Amino acid sequence: MECKVWIIYCSLLLKNYNRVWIPDAEHVWRSAEILRDFHVGDNVLELLLEDGTHHYPVDPSNTRLPPLRNPDILVGENDLTALSYLHEPAVLHNLKVRFVESRIIYTYCGIILVAVNPYKQLPIYGDAIIHAYSGQNMGDMDPHIFAVAEEAYKQMARNHKNQSIIVSGESGAGKTVSARYTMRYFAVVSKSGSKTKVEDKVLASNPITEAIGNAKTTRNDNSSRFGKYTEISFDKKYQIIGANMRTYLLEKSRVVFQADYERNYHIFYQMCSCAHLPEFKNLRLCDADNFQYTSMGGDITIEGVDDKKDMEETLRTFSLLGLNKDFQSDVFKVLAAILHLGNVEIRNSGDDKSSVPPSDPHLAVFCELLGVRAEGLVRWLCHRRIVLVAETVVKPVPKERAVNARDALAKQIYAHLFDCIINRINTALQAPGKQHAFIGVLDIYGFETFDINSFEQFCINYANEKLQQQFNLHVFKLEQEEYMKEDIPWTLIDFYDNQPVIDLIEAKMGILDLLDEECLFPQGTDQSWLQKLYSYLDANHLFEKPRLSSQAFVVQHFADKVEYQCKGFLEKNRDTLYEELVDILRDSKVIKGRILLQLLFFGYTVDSLWTPYLWKMLHKVKTSLSLLMETLNATTPHYVRCIKPNDEKLPFEYDSRRVVQQLRACGVLETIRISAQSYPSRWTYIEFYSRYSILMSHQEADLNDKKQTCKNVLQRLIQDTNQYKFGRTKIFFRAGQVAYLEKLRLDRLREACITIQKHVRGWSQRRKYLCMREAAIILQQYIRGKRTIRAAALKQGWAAVMIQRHWRGYRVRQVYQLVRLASITIQAFTRGWMARKQYRKMLKEHKALVLQKYCRAWLARRRFQTMRRLVLNVQLSYRVQQLRKKIEEQNNTEILREDHEKEMEILKEEIKRLKEERIGLNRKLEEVDQMNSDLQEQVIQLTKHIKIIPELRRDLSSLQNQRNNVDRKMKQHQSFLSLYRHFEEKAEELEEVKRELQSQVEELEEENDHLKRLQQIESEAKSKLRQETSRLTAENMVITNCLFISQDFEEQLDQKDRLIKKLQTQIKSLETSQKGTDTSASAVPKDYLGMLEYKREDEPRLIQNIILDLKPKGVVVNVIPGLPAYILFMCVRHADYLNDEAKLKSLMNAIIGGVKNVITSHHKDLNLLSFWLSNMYLLLNSLKQYSGEEEFMKQSTPRQKKNCLRNFDLSEHRQILSDLAIHIYHRFITVMEKTLTPTIVPGMLEHESLQGISSMKPTGFRKRSNSIYEDLDTYTISSIIQQLSDFHSTMTQHGMEQGLIRQAVKQLFFLVGAITFNNIMLRKDMCSCRKGMQIRCNISYLEEWLKLKDLQGSNAIDTLKPLSQTAWLLQVNKSTDDDAKEISEKCTELNPVQIVKILNSYTPIDDFEKRVTSSFVRKVQSLLQDREGSTHLMLDTGYRFQVTFPFCPSSQALELLQVPSSLRLDFLTKI
């Protein structure tokens, strides 16, 4: 089998111009091109490198050849498993292309997310990015830490199973940041809305844990020196209800020792930076370089880090978590005591003795802070108690052991303080409620290997061995599940099992067992333990003895060989702390009074504190790892491997040697190896058909069964059936087969290109030949013609000269005759013109004399008329003065006036009495029949009077007639009423006279007529003055007002108008009350007023029937969509007509409340929202149109102006209705967006609307793991257009105004553009030239839809400008300086961040396309550096354009509306 594969490999793949990878010392792997075909038996493979040719030796007996390089089309893929050739150089190169050229830090490798630390802040972690990944399938978007978090959250909700996210990597690789972003994602997508702010507390725990558990190392400024497993708890609604942290492998030794250029834990430096603050004064702190425990590394500061600000953040998060001031004070006291303990000086007293000066200031501060006795502490630091059989001996210890005891005490205090703080944080993160599921985030060390490796590295690598074993089993399980899903026979895959390494460490008589055994002996040493290892484990192939060292041993881990120095293993495993020191702390008064310190020390027992802690450290490691493995095995794991690209922390610098070292250590290459052993490349049938349809024959392409077509084509192209397998929904390929198919496809495309070029070049050459032939024929014609006419040219020349002579003579004679005739003609016309001019001059002088004669006569007559007019004016003035004198004499008749006033008072009292009688009559209308007949006659008389006189005067006369019919005593005052009517008529005439005077004041003739009318009025007033005093008084007021330019008269008219309106209201109220009992008035013709009457108790029924129970799909509603709004407004008009303020307010509040209830209970019903949005808008417009305000009445009919609201100003209610309409509009938009959103990405991006232009590429594990096995309906651009058409039809059916429709369509188009654009930003596979063509085609379809619906005025297409420019950017050339300049000029709607992201993400679909070079991207960046604007990568899909409700008057006549019986509104009565 291997020989067969070898032959195929050599004959098909190692061909000329193919490329391979060869090992390289500097770059790990280098690319080379094959210069000559390789054949079986060749010893050398001729390659072309960048620096010349290279002969690569080949061993014929060894089947290992240089690995082949993937086609360029597969380079830069989102998933490494999409590569056809899966091997180390392919993985390394793909990561480099993505990281360095495309500036993409995340890449999938099967189930692993590889995260390369960019050492630079990137704009890819905002809330907009979180919402973009929320709800998306993994693989649909570009790789991201949010995609892993979303997959875990989705599987938890879908499968009801706990999840784990395992984040690992070297120090400085970005594990802590990745874990932090993961928890931030859960906090954002699962907001509970509770007041406990659990999400904020979960995030707030990070600064505290980083302060007490992170430190600066040579590799990382913020390195986590402990492992952390954070369980984020969720309830049944999958909202965060709490969290719990478990910690592992805290590096206690860092408290007392730091290597060069490293620091202790951050919290110590934060405290020292705030030593001057009042709350830290009692701690006696100073600068960090004055304490031994914080100055060992020599560098106490971190560039770019402000310890003081970090301390403020730590204090803030302490308070946010609810940890009180007392607790914080205790924590800082213990931490300060540790610092002072490190400065306690231990001196050598000789003879293996040691001592501590009693006057040591740090000793005093330590004892003061913890409340212990200095004498006892000094004694048991420098002495040790040995219990023998018969006695107890106290023995002094040397300085070295005393220092170790001091450091052990400091380490134990810090370790237990760390655990105590973690426990208090866990308590603060617990919230009421039962945990339904959890997602665990594990942030733990990756595999570590240094120049000097000790106990800590051994524990870390042991933990990673356990994690790697779990990872291998999980990958193996997933592969098996994939095969079973596709009904493919499962074959056993050989994968690396690290169980032997784990057995070497933890099995009986293994490394740990021998270490525990050695710790039992009091005289046990590291060297004796090492010798036991050599003797017991020498036969194990995974254990080695170094050649050059006798103080170390070597373990072959899964990642690499690691040499461990045995020094310190026993001491660190024992973790020595003696009982005497603990007893001193236990007896402290301060400790007994503090809960925190009790937790620190009273948990010990005598047995546990006496002698070294045997097996304590390793037992804790094994126990915690066992619990961790149980937890991980009970959950669904998700893996994130963080990679450190370089040791210098330079942004986007890629060191291949460092990266490949980490890839080997973190299991990524093992995943690749497992995948490569089986069928790593997997395509769905649809993807295969779309990609390789070019390789199909016409007969194969014509088949309707695409699945069978794919099988036929594949069986024809690849003869060896073992190289592929057919699953239910996918085709499985072995390594290299996709590359082979790509080669065949490229060859077919190349052949097609050659054929096209051949025909184009042939056509071009034929066209060029025909042009040259035609030109040659024309040249021949001219040359031959020239030769023919040369002989006859001389003969024809003489004849031509003769003809020219005669012709020129003829032409000269003709010109002379013409000039002569013209001269005679000009002379004749000139002489005639001069004669006529003389005649006109004489005639003009004669006419001037005549004009002067008539003018002088006119002037004489004008002077005469002026004099005559002056005389008449004088006469008129004299007569007016005479008239005034007579009026003044008559005004002196005071007796007549007093009688008139008494009579007026009698009339007023009579009117009051009549009003009281009218009220009494109204109450007795049903009992008295005779009064009913009188009231009916009164209504008939009132109706006749209303038709006879103008509207305002008609109401007054009707009221007077009513009073006459009620009481016959008013007959004697009929003369007064007729006089009043005559006065009103005269008032109208005077108004007309006033207007004429103001408009024609400068015309003397009209002024004369006006004066004559005044004389006539004066004569009439004079003749009637003697008959009745009241009439003379009224006439005198009129004449006086007219003489004084009627200013006072206008004020009186305004008062009369108000009086008339009040009387009119009373008359209408009387008519309304009488109408219910009027049975015989039906004979009178009805004139409806556009109002609906209802009783106050019927208001709930009105709201229930017209709002709450109304269905938008009713027949009546479809005929008149705005009928509810019109009916409600007619009821509002009736309340205003009755001047009933309480009824009006109650109705308006009921309408608003009813609509709110409907919208709240049916907030997802699109039809109902559209219906009530249209009706609220119509009701709002009706209130404006009938408000009586001039700006809203310009387009109203006379009848509509007449029906305006009379008594109340409803502007406040209009504002409330406007707010309600805005709320309905936003709810309506939200429902449409939720309906439209699922169709946008498939329709705009994924569907190929242009047939024959496929943009599909091979996909990896992430995409194929989420593929749909059943054939489901897919969305297309037609789906989007159909959905938009449905929305438009719904709005149109409900009579929505066009302005509102345009605003809604604009909002939906913005959503389409924003979601599509955001997906392009987050999907590298969508950034191709062909996809740009598809997008522009889809935009054109949307533009055609706008034209079809006549919505171009909505400016909706402008919201797609960012998307349109993105599509253009994907299609345009991207290579020269002119291209860069064009991009910077035309992409005005895109900010620099977005343009650079698109350029970096541009992905070729075929080998004919080229990637965008880094130099071109930098060139574009330099042109865009001065551009101002947003720096966000994403568009805000939640943005809302401001909605406006333009006023649109209705032409509907309210009086013509009929209330359908189907609405069950029979209690309404038309007025």
Side-chain angles (χ1 to χ4, degrees), residues 52 268 537 816 1135 1141 1249 1329 1426:
F268 293 114
L537 303 177
Y816 169 74
E1141 183 177 2
S1249 53
C1329 178
D1426 296 333

Side-chain angles (χ1 to χ4, degrees), residues 688 695-696 700 709-718:
F688 182 87
L695 299 177
M696 301 175 185
E700 293 170 338
T709 301
C710 295
K711 292 182 178 180
N712 297 339
V713 171
L714 200 54
Q715 291 170 357
R716 175 172 56 84
L717 296 177
I718 303 177

Side-chain angles (χ1 to χ4, degrees), residues 629-868:
M629 290 300 105
E630 290 180 6
T631 303
L632 294 181
N633 291 329
T635 61
T636 302
H638 307 266
Y639 300 94
V640 180
R641 297 294 191 248
C642 298
I643 303 297
K644 187 176 182 179
N646 60 80
D647 291 329
E648 292 75 23
K649 304 174 186 176
L650 300 175
F652 290 104
E653 290 293 330
Y654 191 84
D655 185 351
S656 298
R657 289 179 296 179
R658 288 288 291 118
V659 172
V660 77
Q661 180 184 7
Q662 296 172 73
L663 291 176
R664 292 168 181 168
C666 69
V668 172
L669 296 181
E670 182 64 20
T671 304
I672 294 298
R673 197 182 67 82
I674 292 176
S675 299
Q677 285 187 6
S678 56
Y679 298 91
S681 302
R682 302 164 194 184
W683 287 63
T684 65
Y685 288 99
I686 299 300
E687 292 173 343
F688 182 87
Y689 186 90
S690 176
R691 181 71 179 173
Y692 299 114
S693 59
I694 192 173
L695 299 177
M696 301 175 185
S697 62
H698 292 293
Q699 293 79 7
E700 293 170 338
D702 290 339
L703 295 177
N704 294 328
D705 189 354
K706 293 184 179 181
K707 186 174 181 179
Q708 187 61 41
T709 301
C710 295
K711 292 182 178 180
N712 297 339
V713 171
L714 200 54
Q715 291 170 357
R716 175 172 56 84
L717 296 177
I718 303 177
Q719 302 299 326
D720 187 2
T721 57
N722 189 43
Q723 300 302 314
Y724 57 86
K725 293 293 182 182
F726 296 110
R728 289 199 306 117
T729 62
K730 305 171 191 173
I731 306 174
F732 288 63
F733 296 95
R734 289 200 182 274
Q737 298 308 308
V738 172
Y740 175 67
L741 291 174
E742 286 294 321
K743 179 179 177 299
L744 295 178
R745 182 177 182 272
L746 183 62
D747 292 342
R748 176 64 62 84
L749 289 174
R750 218 179 249 115
E751 293 174 1
C753 289
I754 293 173
T755 302
I756 293 172
Q757 290 175 352
K758 178 182 69 176
H759 285 86
V760 171
R761 289 170 180 169
W763 172 80
S764 177
Q765 292 297 325
R766 283 193 299 274
R767 184 178 179 186
K768 184 178 180 182
Y769 164 73
L770 292 176
C771 291
M772 293 174 62
R773 181 173 178 273
E774 184 179 357
I777 291 174
I778 293 174
L779 287 174
Q780 290 174 357
Q781 289 177 351
Y782 277 102
I783 293 173
R784 290 167 183 167
K786 186 175 182 181
R787 290 178 179 176
T788 303
I789 66 175
R790 188 172 183 181
L794 295 176
K795 295 180 182 179
Q796 294 178 356
W798 176 253
V801 171
M802 295 301 294
I803 293 172
Q804 288 175 358
R805 184 185 68 180
H806 288 286
W807 171 251
R808 288 170 182 166
Y810 170 76
R811 292 283 294 172
V812 170
R813 285 193 297 273
Q814 289 292 327
V815 171
Y816 169 74
Q817 293 293 338
L818 184 61
V819 171
R820 181 175 177 274
L821 180 62
S823 300
I824 295 172
T825 303
I826 290 171
Q827 289 175 358
F829 277 96
T830 301
R831 290 168 182 163
W833 173 75
M834 292 179 66
R836 287 191 295 275
K837 183 178 179 182
Q838 183 67 25
Y839 171 76
R840 283 196 296 270
K841 182 178 179 181
M842 294 171 63
L843 185 61
K844 185 176 181 182
E845 292 176 352
H846 176 69
K847 289 183 177 179
L849 294 175
V850 176
L851 288 174
Q852 289 176 358
K853 179 183 67 173
Y854 283 102
C855 183
R856 288 167 182 164
W858 177 77
L859 290 173
R861 286 194 297 273
R862 183 180 177 185
R863 284 194 295 271
F864 170 74
Q865 291 175 357
T866 301
M867 293 297 294
R868 184 185 175 199

Side-chain angles (χ1 to χ4, degrees), residues 1122-1141:
L1123 183 61
Y1126 287 126
I1127 292 176
L1128 292 173
F1129 177 70
M1130 292 167 70
C1131 294
V1132 169
R1133 281 197 59 220
H1134 179 260
D1136 174 80
Y1137 172 74
L1138 294 180
N1139 198 16
D1140 192 340
E1141 183 177 2

